[in-house]
Each structure stands twice: as structure tokens, then as C-alpha cells.
Amino acid sequence: MKKVLFLILASLSISCTQTENAHIPVDTDETLEILYDFEDGVIAPEMAFPASKGALVETGSTALNVKFNSENNAWSAFVLKPETPYDWSAYDDFNIAFDISNQGEHSVHIYLDVGDAKGANYTRAVNVPVGPSRTYYAKIAGHDLATPDGRGDIELNFLSGLRNNPVTWESDDEQFISFWGKKNINTSAIKHIRFSVQSALFNKEITIDNIRLRKNPPKNPDYLTDIVDKFGQNAKLDYPGKIHSEKELIKRREKEAETLTGELMHDRSRFGGWKNGPKSKATGYFRAEKVKGKWMLIDPEGYAYFATGLDIIRLGDAATMTGYDYESVQDRTGRHVELALRADMFEWLPKKGEPLAKHFGYMPNTHSGALKKGESFNFQRANLERKYGKNYEQKWLDVTVDRMISWGFTSLGNWTSPKLYQNNKIPYFANGWIRGKYKTVSSGQDFWGALPDVFDPAFAEATEKTAMKVAREVQDSPWCVGVFIDNEKSFGRPNSKSTLYGIVINTLRRDGAEVPTKAHFTKMMKARYASIAELNEAWKKNISSWSEFDKGIDSSLTTEAQEKDYGDMLGAYGEQYFSIVNTMMKKYMPNHLYLGARFPDWGMPIEVVKASAKHVDVISFNVYKEGLIKKKWDFMEEIDMPAIIGEFHMGATDRGMYHPGLIVAADQKDRAKMLKDYMYSVIDNPYFVGAHYFQYADGPLTGRAYDGENYNIGFISVTDEPYAEMVEASKELNAALYTRRFSD
């Protein structure tokens, strides 16, 4: 056995404790290699704590107890790092398993990273509930999972079109959920195995034992066959809330109708503000103001207002790819199986000419998944027609408004159907996308697509058209809180300097005669440096002239002065973007708040955030973490302006779904608790004026047609069945919303 180094990062401590209720391996647990079982004489690792106090820990007949000191730490990790990389290449069909228990007070959403010597990394996650030991495993390789056409491993490459598949064999063990990273790592050189928690609101604790490699048992050959019933539900499991007949759908509709009063909570103003709280000037529209030292929105009648609500209150995102395509898309003829792997997933799809066949659609292109294009079907729409009958969409929208009010929410979140913009019962947030034939630039990691060349005049023209379109939809309604324009732009990632300043690095390589943003960067540097020689000295370059600079240069980062310049250029790009959008917003919607572009937590360079602060009324962020950790958000004190969370969620797999979403809960009860904890962290932050949960309905069981997301993240299921635990948690936190906000 080789010597192993354990690295403990970010205020984390470990100790040795005896494991109780040790896992008894099932018959299929065929161990190939024990990496570490914490027994005397197997491995004598050196325990080092370079990020804390460099303490050494002895091992004996014990398991490893890991305490993640998470409070106010954005990241805590425990790393198993061999002195020389592990070589697992002798195994071609195996998984890595751990026996894990939780002695703490909170469930633990834990990330598992397995990385190779070349830096490739595959991330998975799981939730370990409070309780005794259980075996958790993650697949590393599996030759029997390859597709017949030789495209590779279904499990490890998402070739099914799902972000996470059904388990391929039945057992009492829990499989780690697929998240991101390279799925086929080099098993001959495994450099580390890392456990981490991220932005946890509480200290967490787990005990790990029996780290081992196991042979994969024979798979269930039908694990991807007939997994979807006629309602779009999991066909192979029964669970609370599952619908078994159309009569049951109608009965659930009638029962819920008895509970929806559509009446505001007793302390609410007409627009959802705090009727019993401090009152400010009424302007007839929403605005922002500090109230008792905390940023708040002010509703049209002058009452302090905090935004809570749900995103995606519409039906356009619920379609899933069927595996079929057409010879002629225009008239839908020549239907044929394009990918049997997908087509075989469905127990039922309507036949041509049947009433529910109207819910077939077509995706001309996808972002990611098993197919680039093809037929889709929307089970959610089909179920709503079954449930509400004729004019089902409007009836569903009416029920939805009553639900939001009855559940205590104060608004409808982003991507609400414009059909609800004039509901005049609950405020809403509008949105727009800037689309046009402007030139583009790249960050090098443009997740949702190429970035606009914001110095191209065509970008301003496209922005104006967007502002005009949103203004027509809103009709100057006082019920519109504000407008989000665009979403999760790839302004830069914090992984490295090259990804952080990717827009600048990639644009400097291009020709200013063809790329207006490059021409602007050249102008900035010429104003900063008296000569090209002076720039060369600062950047340690050998550029012959400003003409060569503008034509395109080697833009690799080499000096601190260069890094500062790159930060300034990135900020200039961001300021131009937000300035143009704000100008058009104020021209066409002067009475409504401009809420920015919803920075993703993976892409919020401080230079661009500060640039946006000069032009937006409220800064927006999408934050898929367990909550807002004070240390990570201290920069808001310097900016000192209102902010809002545009997206967050948490999910579980106890109701038939195969993927819980980006934050993993143990079950629906735990999910509801995590919802409240997240919202409390937002409500208690003096700079945030609201948060919207993403999203109203679960993703399709077999994945969203656009990108394969098959997450349990909804307040309602595919059959329009509310998750009672989430509803009750929301009623509780919304009822105490304003008194908690102003509790001190």
C-alpha cells in the first residue's frame, strides 16, 4: 500500500472515531482494491493541515471523522492525495465506494472530485442525511455501458440526454449524482480524491470509512427502457403525489381549489409591501431606498417591499426530446427513430391525429444533450389539458396567481409569461433578451453563447429593439417591479487569471479593424502609455508598434501591471454593456427598475460588478449555493446598493426524479428546510431586497429539450401537483418575512 497525504483546506479539522453501525457489503460488493480502511497496519498516512495549523493526526482501528468548519467559509475540503498518482488502469469496469455516516445536526451536501495528473476532473455530489453509515459510490469506468454505435460511455458522457441517469443496478447503496467536469479521466494517474462543502450555512460533520474500488455488478439491461409513463412520471417507482389516472388528476384539482383563497397575508399592502411597517414616499411605481439602514424596495404606495417568488411561470421549457426526427420538418412527414436510446424511454407517446398530439414540438437546435435537433413532447402541457380541459393554459395561469398569493409570495419571478403581466393581483419581474446581428467577442468559455461586441453600434441598435419590445409588453404597468435584461453572461470565471480576463485576452489577439472592442482596448492603452516601448516595459513584451498592437498580439499575462490593465479593460467592457442597456431602459421604461443581467456565481468578476453598479438600479446575482456566506458577499458593503437573487434552488430524488438539481437535499422535508435556511440568509443581509426560486415546475424526467436538465427543482411536479413540504415552508417564511427583515 502506498503512502497517502491528506490535505485539509479552509478551516477544516479531522479526528479518528470508531464507526458505529458499519456498512455490511451486499453480495454485489466485489472489492477490487482497498485504498484505505483505517485499520492498523494497512496504511500509515501522514496527516497534514497546511491551511490550518499543520497538525499531524495518527490513525488506528478507526474511521475518519471530518468536521467542515463551514460558517463564513465559502469552501472547505478534505483531500486524499497519494504521493504518486493512483494507477487504476487494470480495472475497466469499476466504481469507487465509501461508507459514510453523519453525526452532525444538518444533512451534508458534499461534492466528490476525482482528478487525474493532467488536471482533468470529474465532479459529483450527494447528500448525506443525519444518521448511520451507508455506502455511497461513484462510477469511474464501465465498458458494458457503451452505446452500440461506439460513441462512448452512456453513464459518463450524458449520451442519454439526461444530466443524471437512473441507476444501472439495484442495491441499498446511494450513487453520487453526476455534475460537471471531464467524464473520462485518465485512470492510470489519479492525483486526488477530494470531498468538499461549498457555501454551507452551518458546520457539517461526516465519518468516512472503507474507501475502496469495486467491480460494477451486471447492469439492468432495461435501466433506460420504458422509464416514463403517460403522465411524464417515473414509470418504475411509486411515491407520494404520483398520479395514476386522469380521474385522479381531476380530483386533485378540485381538492386544491378548496384551499386557494387568493387573499393576501394580513400584513400586506395591495402590492405586497409591509402594510404594518415604515412608510415612504409613494411614487406610483417600484423604487429602491434604504429603510432603517437596510436596502429595500418601495412599492407604488410607499410601503417597504421585499421580493419573493418563483421563476419560469410559463410552459415553454417543459418539452423533452423523444428520439424521433422527420425527413421533412416543415410538414412533419417521414417521422423516424433518430436515436433508439431516447425513443425507448417512453411507455407512451400520442399517435398522430390524437388530441394530445398537439403537444409535440420541434427543436431545430439544442445547447447540449443526446441530439442536436429533433422532435420534442411536452408532458406538462398534456397534463394540464387533461386536468383543466379547454383553455387549459389560461386556467392554469389563473390558478398559479392564486397559488402565489396563497403561498405568501410577493412577486412573480423572471421568465414569467407576458400573459400574466396585466394580472393586477401580484407584482412581477419582466425580462428581455438582446438579440441581433452585432459582432461578437469571446471569453474563451462562453457557456450560453458568444458575447456581444458592445462597442459595435449594432449592439446598441439591438438593445433598443429589446427595450421597445419589453416596454410594449409591460405597458407602463405599476405592477412591474423591474426588468432583467439577458442572463448569466460569461464575463469571466475565477478559476484562473486566463479565465477571469478571458474577454480581454481573446480580444487583444484580434484585429481592431474588424473588432470594435479591440479598437477600444487599443485606444485605452495608447492613452495610458506614452509609447509602445513604455507598454512593452510594463508588460514585458516585444511589440513593434501600436499598429501591431491593434492588429493582434500575444496577450498572455506576464506582469502585475499587465494584470491591472486587463482588469481595467474588462471593466470598460462591462461599463459599456450596462451603460447601453441602461440608456435604452431609461428611454423606453423610465418608471421601472433596471435589474442588470443576473451575474452567475461562477462568473462575477469584481471589475464588471462594479461597472454595472454605475448603471443598474439593482444588481442581480444567480447563486446556486446553500445560502449567502457573509465573507463572500462583504464586497457589497463597498458598493452599498440594493441587490437581488435571480435564481437558486435545491432538490432531492425521493419523488421519482433522477437528478436533484444543483444543490442536493436528503428528501423533500430536508429540501424545505434548506429553502428556509437559504431565504433567511438573504432576508438577513442588509443589501439584498429579494430572491426568486428557480423554478416553478420540475424539469422533465428525461431532460429539458434544450440542454438535458432533469432536475427535481419545482414547487410543482410534471402533473401540476404541488410539493406540500415546499409550500408549507414558503408560507412560514413568507408570513414572517417583514418582521424578520426588521427584527433588529
Side-chain angles (χ1 to χ4, degrees), residues 424-454:
N424 296 333
K425 290 183 178 180
I426 184 170
Y428 64 90
F429 286 71
N431 70 89
W433 292 98
I434 302 174
R435 297 286 186 263
K437 294 183 179 180
Y438 45 78
K439 295 179 178 181
T440 62
V441 297
S442 174
S443 69
Q445 294 185 321
D446 307 331
F447 186 74
W448 293 116
L451 293 160
D453 186 326
V454 295

Side-chain angles (χ1 to χ4, degrees), residues 96 122 134 171 192 285 287 317 332 414 443-444 493 546 548 683 686 693 743:
I96 185 169
Y122 183 15
R134 184 179 182 185
S171 73
H192 69 258
Y285 295 92
R287 60 187 180 86
D317 299 82
R332 303 289 174 90
N414 198 39
S443 69
R493 291 175 178 261
W546 285 116
E548 181 187 343
I683 294 167
Y693 179 92
S743 61

Side-chain angles (χ1 to χ4, degrees), residues 445 491-502 600-606 625 632:
Q445 294 185 321
F491 290 119
R493 291 175 178 261
N495 312 55
S496 66
K497 297 298 182 183
S498 62
T499 58
L500 183 62
Y501 299 118
D601 56 8
W602 48 260
M604 41 186 278
I606 191 62
K625 302 296 183 185
K632 184 172 180 178

Side-chain angles (χ1 to χ4, degrees), residues 380-689:
Q380 185 184 14
R381 278 188 176 274
N383 288 331
L384 294 181
E385 183 173 352
R386 289 161 167 153
K387 185 174 183 178
Y388 296 103
K390 187 178 180 180
N391 198 23
Y392 64 89
E393 183 173 3
Q394 187 57 53
K395 292 177 181 177
W396 177 73
L397 290 172
D398 292 341
V399 167
T400 293
V401 169
D402 285 344
R403 281 173 173 168
M404 297 303 111
I405 295 172
S406 297
W407 297 350
F409 289 116
T410 63
S411 67
L412 308 178
N414 198 39
W415 296 308
T416 286
S417 170
K419 294 178 181 180
L420 287 174
Y421 281 8
Q422 308 305 322
N423 76 87
N424 296 333
K425 290 183 178 180
I426 184 170
Y428 64 90
F429 286 71
N431 70 89
W433 292 98
I434 302 174
R435 297 286 186 263
K437 294 183 179 180
Y438 45 78
K439 295 179 178 181
T440 62
V441 297
S442 174
S443 69
Q445 294 185 321
D446 307 331
F447 186 74
W448 293 116
L451 293 160
D453 186 326
V454 295
F455 290 93
D456 180 358
F459 175 71
E461 295 170 5
T463 303
E464 183 167 27
K465 290 179 181 178
T466 299
M468 292 170 65
K469 178 179 183 296
V470 177
R472 287 194 299 268
E473 293 172 340
V474 169
Q475 300 177 30
D476 201 36
S477 169
W479 292 90
C480 176
V481 179
V483 183
F484 297 106
I485 300 293
D486 286 338
N487 180 64
E488 295 189 344
K489 309 297 288 184
S490 296
F491 290 119
R493 291 175 178 261
N495 312 55
S496 66
K497 297 298 182 183
S498 62
T499 58
L500 183 62
Y501 299 118
I503 292 174
V504 177
I505 290 171
N506 287 288
T507 302
L508 286 177
R509 294 170 180 161
R510 300 178 67 185
D511 189 344
E514 300 175 356
V515 184
T517 292
K518 169 59 182 297
H520 185 80
F521 288 168
T522 302
K523 182 179 178 181
M524 286 181 66
M525 293 303 99
K526 289 180 73 174
R528 178 160 300 180
Y529 294 100
S531 67
I532 195 66
E534 187 176 323
L535 179 139
N536 282 331
E537 176 64 24
W539 288 19
K540 302 303 179 188
K541 299 288 185 183
N542 188 28
I543 305 168
S544 63
S545 64
W546 285 116
S547 177
E548 181 187 343
F549 183 97
D550 196 45
K551 189 72 175 175
I553 62 168
D554 168 16
S555 55
S556 56
L557 265 169
T558 55
T559 71
E560 291 184 5
Q562 188 182 8
E563 183 178 330
K564 182 183 183 305
D565 291 339
Y566 280 21
D568 291 343
M569 284 185 273
L570 181 61
Y573 174 89
E575 185 159 350
Q576 179 75 353
Y577 170 86
F578 287 103
S579 173
I580 289 173
V581 180
N582 184 48
T583 296
M584 299 306 175
M585 277 291 300
K586 294 299 182 281
K587 180 178 179 179
Y588 292 99
M589 302 186 70
N591 296 317
H592 296 93
L593 297 169
Y594 170 36
L595 307 169
R598 298 150 57 89
F599 291 108
D601 56 8
W602 48 260
M604 41 186 278
I606 191 62
E607 295 91 344
V608 184
V609 172
K610 288 182 176 180
S612 77
K614 300 176 184 179
H615 302 285
V616 304
D617 298 304
V618 179
I619 301 181
S620 52
F621 303 92
N622 294 346
V623 184
Y624 287 100
K625 302 296 183 185
E626 293 186 40
L628 300 187
I629 303 299
K630 183 180 182 300
K631 184 177 181 180
K632 184 172 180 178
W633 296 92
D634 277 347
F635 70 88
M636 288 301 302
E637 184 175 351
E638 177 186 351
I639 294 175
D640 191 20
M641 67 178 295
I644 190 168
I645 299 296
E647 295 179 20
F648 75 98
H649 68 219
M650 52 282 299
T653 56
D654 62 330
R655 298 291 169 85
M657 299 294 287
Y658 300 128
H659 200 304
L662 300 180
I663 299 299
V664 187
D667 53 26
Q668 296 303 315
K669 182 178 179 181
D670 188 47
R671 184 182 174 216
K673 177 185 179 300
M674 292 176 74
L675 168 73
K676 290 192 293 184
D677 289 336
Y678 187 108
M679 283 300 302
Y680 292 152
S681 78
V682 179
I683 294 167
D684 294 344
N685 189 300
Y687 300 101
F688 283 83
V689 298

Side-chain angles (χ1 to χ4, degrees), residues 95 108 118 153 180 209 219 238 246 258 280 314 364 392 424 461 475 501 514-515 566 680 703 735 741:
N95 63 84
V108 180
K118 292 187 177 181
D153 191 306
W180 47 72
D209 200 3
K219 72 170 184 177
D238 206 359
E246 293 188 24
E258 298 173 359
S280 301
R314 65 185 189 191
Y392 64 89
N424 296 333
E461 295 170 5
Q475 300 177 30
Y501 299 118
E514 300 175 356
V515 184
Y566 280 21
Y680 292 152
R741 179 68 169 178

Side-chain angles (χ1 to χ4, degrees), residues 110-360:
I110 192 161
Y111 295 90
L112 169 67
D113 295 284
V114 180
D116 65 27
K118 292 187 177 181
N121 197 71
Y122 183 15
T123 300
R124 306 153 170 93
V126 78
N127 186 289
V128 181
V130 175
S133 180
R134 184 179 182 185
T135 296
Y136 297 82
Y137 69 95
K139 293 181 182 177
I140 303 298
H143 62 79
D144 65 330
L145 305 179
T147 55
D149 59 10
R151 288 193 299 160
D153 191 306
I154 297 170
E155 287 292 291
L156 301 181
N157 290 289
F158 302 150
L159 297 184
S160 64
L162 284 68
R163 292 293 181 91
N164 193 69
N165 291 327
V167 295
T168 51
W169 65 78
E170 299 299 325
S171 73
D172 293 330
D173 303 339
E174 184 76 15
Q175 183 174 338
F176 277 84
I177 304 295
S178 293
F179 266 56
W180 47 72
K182 182 176 174 60
K183 308 304 184 292
N184 291 310
I185 55 179
N186 181 2
T187 58
S188 68
I190 299 298
K191 191 175 182 180
H192 69 258
I193 303 166
R194 179 172 60 230
F195 287 98
S196 65
V197 298
Q198 301 178 16
S199 292
L201 297 172
F202 310 100
N203 290 339
K204 303 293 182 76
E205 180 177 359
I206 60 174
T207 294
I208 304 175
D209 200 3
N210 300 325
I211 303 174
R212 61 203 184 276
L213 304 182
R214 308 184 307 176
K215 180 177 176 58
N216 291 334
K219 72 170 184 177
N220 175 357
D222 297 324
Y223 82 103
L224 279 174
T225 302
D226 290 338
I227 61 175
V228 187
D229 70 11
K230 69 177 183 178
F231 297 106
Q233 304 169 119
N234 191 318
K236 298 191 176 185
L237 293 175
D238 206 359
Y239 45 85
K242 186 173 182 178
I243 294 296
H244 303 86
S245 68
E246 293 188 24
K247 288 184 178 180
E248 190 174 2
L249 265 179
I250 303 300
K251 186 175 181 181
R252 298 278 181 89
R253 182 198 73 195
E254 294 171 345
K255 184 176 181 181
E256 185 190 14
E258 298 173 359
T259 69
L260 298 177
T261 64
E263 296 180 1
L264 294 168
M265 289 186 169
H266 68 89
D267 64 344
R268 302 293 162 83
S269 72
R270 179 187 174 206
F271 290 92
W274 192 22
K275 188 170 59 177
N276 300 336
K279 200 166 185 293
S280 301
K281 179 182 178 181
T283 64
Y285 295 92
F286 284 90
R287 60 187 180 86
E289 178 184 295
K290 267 191 175 179
V291 178
K292 294 187 175 181
K294 299 179 180 181
W295 279 103
M296 292 291 292
L297 296 178
I298 306 299
D299 80 9
E301 296 179 328
Y303 295 103
Y305 174 92
F306 194 94
T308 64
L310 309 181
D311 290 323
I312 311 286
I313 302 179
R314 65 185 189 191
L315 297 176
D317 299 82
T320 191
M321 302 297 281
T322 65
Y324 290 84
D325 206 344
Y326 301 95
E327 297 297 335
S328 172
V329 175
Q330 187 172 3
D331 55 10
R332 303 289 174 90
T333 58
R335 184 174 185 256
H336 62 275
V337 173
E338 183 69 19
L339 182 61
L341 184 70
R342 291 287 302 181
D344 291 345
M345 293 180 185
F346 304 96
E347 282 190 335
W348 170 92
L349 288 171
K351 292 181 173 58
K352 185 177 180 179
E354 292 182 348
L356 295 181
K358 67 171 68 73
H359 302 299
F360 279 115

